[in-house]
Structure formats: C-alpha cells, structure tokens
Amino acid sequence: MIDFSHAFEVVNHVILLDKLSKLNLPDYIVNWIVSFLTDHTQAAKVGDKIYCQRFINRGTVQDSDVGPTFYVVMESNYLKPLSSVNVNLLCKFADDTNLLVPANSDIDIVQEFQHIKQWSMLNNMLINMSKTKEIVFHRPSIKHFLFPAPISNVAQVSSAKLLGVILQNNLHFDEQITDIIKICSQRSYLLKMLRDQGLCKKNMYSCFSCSHFV
C-alpha cells in the first residue's frame, strides 16, 4: 500500500499538461484546462494587509470535480508494473495506489517498488515511506510460513485498512468485524444519549443518516 505525500497538492502543472496533451483531447478542452491551472495565486493575509503573494504552479483543487481526475491522469497509462507476463498488478483509486505481486513472478516486489520510486522522482511526487505498508498474504490454515524479507524502509504489517476495509495477512476479517461492531456501539450510544436528552425521532434519524458519512 503506497502512500504519496500530499498527492493532490504536489501535482506539477507542466508535467500534467504534457500528459494531457497526449490524450488527443479537443483543443478547446486543453485550453480550458490551461486557463484553469494558470494565473492562480496564494498569499498570507494579516488584518487588511496581504503578504507574500505567489503564483501557484503545483497542485490541483481536490474538492473540485476535475482535481481527482487530473491526479488520475498523472498516474494512468504512465505508472505500470514492470512484469511482462501481467501477473503483477497496480490497483489505483484516486490517490490510493496498491501494488500486488504474487510469490511466483518474473519481477519481484522490490524491483517493482524501485520502479514506482523512480516514477515518483521523475514526476516530482514523493512517497511517504512511513505510511507505505507491506502485507504478505498467506493461507489461514498454514502451520509454518516463512515471511520474505521486508522491502527496505517499508514496514511489514499483519493488517492494514484499504478504502475503509481492514485486510489481514491470514485472509480473516475478524479485525474488520470488530471495528464495525465498535463503530455501531459508539453510534448507538450517541443516539441513546440524544434520545434521553429529548431529541425527536426526526432529528435522531438525521443524526443517524449523517453518521454514515463520518
């Protein structure tokens, strides 16, 4: 599980526009994107005074409709596994990037990870090594399992959360179930407290619905 530091904030506009120019988009679309990315400034404001106004040449607007799409363009078709037999996979969802390498592969995980590090350097991206994790999956019933040596500077963990789901190296889901039960218990207790304070059912339902997005 590879973590790019401040992924949306460090996208280089020159590199992004070069990749967009190779997508055979209509000229008016490219011109609109150029207009969207250029002549933006940021500054510090103290009272009525504005200091250190600078032009922004990196980053995308994450809360905009096009921000995540720009980041996907940075990775798609350009960041690929080295494996020539297509057994290694790169699973990408917005700024979440995950490398899957089976035990029997023509290119091992160390080589694949070095390739990703080289890509990140060429594209002015930075991998957060402290948040990047390695998980080695194995059959749950196996009695003796020899874990491979971890990737240099990458923590090898027994479980990790991916898109809200806790994955365990033994393919069990007891940590995920425990986490769900904990969340349900906390939210049930909150609703009970609100009910005891006299909150009406309609407003309790609104609180319950909102809790799904917290």
Side-chain angles (χ1 to χ4, degrees), residues 89-104:
L89 299 174
L90 264 177
C91 302
K92 295 173 284 187
F93 180 81
D95 61 336
D96 288 306
T97 304
N98 299 281
L99 172 64
L100 301 177
V101 179
N104 298 317

Side-chain angles (χ1 to χ4, degrees), residues 53-65:
Q53 187 167 350
R54 296 288 187 272
F55 282 99
I56 301 172
N57 58 9
R58 300 180 75 185
T60 63
V61 184
Q62 185 171 356
D63 293 332
S64 69
D65 291 335

Side-chain angles (χ1 to χ4, degrees), residues 10 37 45 77 97 103 145 151 167:
V10 299
L37 293 176
K45 184 176 181 181
N77 298 327
T97 304
F145 180 75
I151 302 172
L167 303 177

